[in-house]
Amino acid sequence: MANSLESIFSDFVSLFFPRLCAACTHPRVKGEPIICSACLLELPYTDHHLDPKNLLYQRLSGFMPIHAAQALLKFSKDSRVQRLLYALKYGHQPDVGNALGELYGARLLQTDQAASVDLIVPIPLHPSRQRKRGYNQSACFAAGLASALHIPYSEKAVVRTIKTITQTRKTRLERWENVQNVFRVNVSREIAGRNLLLVDDVVTTGATLEACVRALTDAGCGQIRIACIAAA
């Protein structure tokens, strides 16, 4: 009886405050996840996981020593992907990151892309920024991947020691200068000799990833693979 009353109340509330899809912002059908079924079918997937030498890998491997690189989605302005990222970063919807991580993890399981990964490491936020936001969006994505792939993840392995200014509208050189020496490996025993999956929300020039890759490499890690929610 209690469950029935709770369901009726939930349905009543939904009439006035409908649950919206984080991608298209249309009302979701009861029982649908935070991204509606239509968007899950129609999002612009890259299929990078099916091509080890994809364009993102070719672009990033010229700047940093990585074994693989891939993104789940193609980023474009004023798109569902941008709305998803906005909801994740600024809309207080960490479940978006977790859902996308589980979605991508299920796709990676169809290949051997993550077979040799020992640990998933999210790009860290500066502590002051994480306190303000309440969570690290890349860690939410990492948690979803970890759940789907049954691989541990660590938010503490790497820390951001300097609060950088926004990367928006900066050139690649300016972005690199902005993030030089901002990352420090915090738990060396978690990193040394282990193959890592380094994850971030969106990759543009790759300067932030490069700075973190170099910190991890200097700490003696094994192979580094990169996985992002979206690539511009």
Side-chain angles (χ1 to χ4, degrees), residues 7-19 27-28 30:
S7 177
I8 292 171
F9 179 74
S10 177
D11 291 343
F12 178 77
V13 170
S14 296
L15 289 173
F16 298 95
F17 303 99
R19 300 176 182 88
R28 288 180 280 146
K30 184 178 180 180

Side-chain angles (χ1 to χ4, degrees), residues 35-106:
I35 304 170
C36 74
S37 301
C39 285
L40 287 174
L41 287 172
E42 297 170 6
L43 285 171
Y45 297 105
T46 67
D47 290 331
H48 283 165
H49 63 294
L50 301 177
D51 179 13
K53 303 300 181 183
N54 62 72
L55 291 176
L56 182 63
Y57 170 75
Q58 292 179 40
R59 177 154 60 97
L60 297 183
S61 61
F63 297 103
M64 62 192 90
I66 54 174
H67 191 73
Q70 51 211 356
L72 173 64
L73 302 168
K74 301 172 186 175
F75 178 88
S76 59
K77 291 185 177 181
D78 302 319
S79 68
R80 283 181 286 193
V81 174
Q82 186 177 43
R83 285 192 289 273
L84 280 173
L85 290 169
Y86 189 90
L88 172 60
K89 293 181 70 171
Y90 308 113
H92 305 291
Q93 296 188 61
D95 287 351
V96 171
N98 197 280
L100 290 170
E102 290 185 354
L103 175 64
Y104 206 11

Side-chain angles (χ1 to χ4, degrees), residues 63-65 172 176 198 205-215 226:
F63 297 103
M64 62 192 90
R172 191 182 195 288
W176 166 242
L198 180 63
T205 65
T208 300
L209 287 166
E210 182 182 355
C212 197
V213 164
R214 298 207 179 278
I226 288 172

